[in-house]
Amino acid sequence: LSRTESAAFVELVLKEITDCLERGETVKLSSFGSFVVRKKGQRIGRNPKTGKEVPISPRRVMVFKPDEPWRDSLAASSV
């Protein structure tokens, strides 16, 4: 593939992953990991500058969970 075609293909893959996550679906990449959407409830936070308590609204967040082979290789390399 040419550089332009490769870039278009990568953009297409990233767009599909983004669309799935926006719908709340889990995206699993074999031997790499999973992107999961979690819901976080409302909680109280603190403004670090003033120390005043402020409510943090409920939201959805994306988390990444590495697959076991990748997690094991990372753990082994940190020793």
Side-chain angles (χ1 to χ4, degrees), residues 12-28 35-37 60 62:
L12 182 65
V13 170
L14 293 176
K15 173 86 170 95
E16 184 64 28
I17 290 171
T18 302
D19 290 346
C20 289
L21 291 170
E22 285 176 355
R23 291 190 300 266
E25 300 173 12
T26 296
V27 176
K28 178 164 178 31
F35 295 96
V36 180
V37 177
R60 294 184 331 158
M62 182 196 65

Side-chain angles (χ1 to χ4, degrees), residues 11-61:
E11 289 297 322
L12 182 65
V13 170
L14 293 176
K15 173 86 170 95
E16 184 64 28
I17 290 171
T18 302
D19 290 346
C20 289
L21 291 170
E22 285 176 355
R23 291 190 300 266
E25 300 173 12
T26 296
V27 176
K28 178 164 178 31
L29 303 174
S30 183
S31 298
F32 182 69
S34 300
F35 295 96
V36 180
V37 177
R38 279 193 356 199
K39 291 182 181 178
K40 295 181 87 174
Q42 183 171 346
R43 64 190 201 277
I44 299 296
R46 190 174 302 277
N47 181 330
K49 194 171 189 178
T50 64
K52 182 179 177 184
E53 289 186 350
V54 291
I56 299 173
S57 60
R59 64 188 73 217
R60 294 184 331 158
V61 296

Side-chain angles (χ1 to χ4, degrees), residues 70-79:
W70 198 56
R71 188 174 45 236
D72 293 344
S73 68
L74 285 174
S77 67
S78 67
V79 174

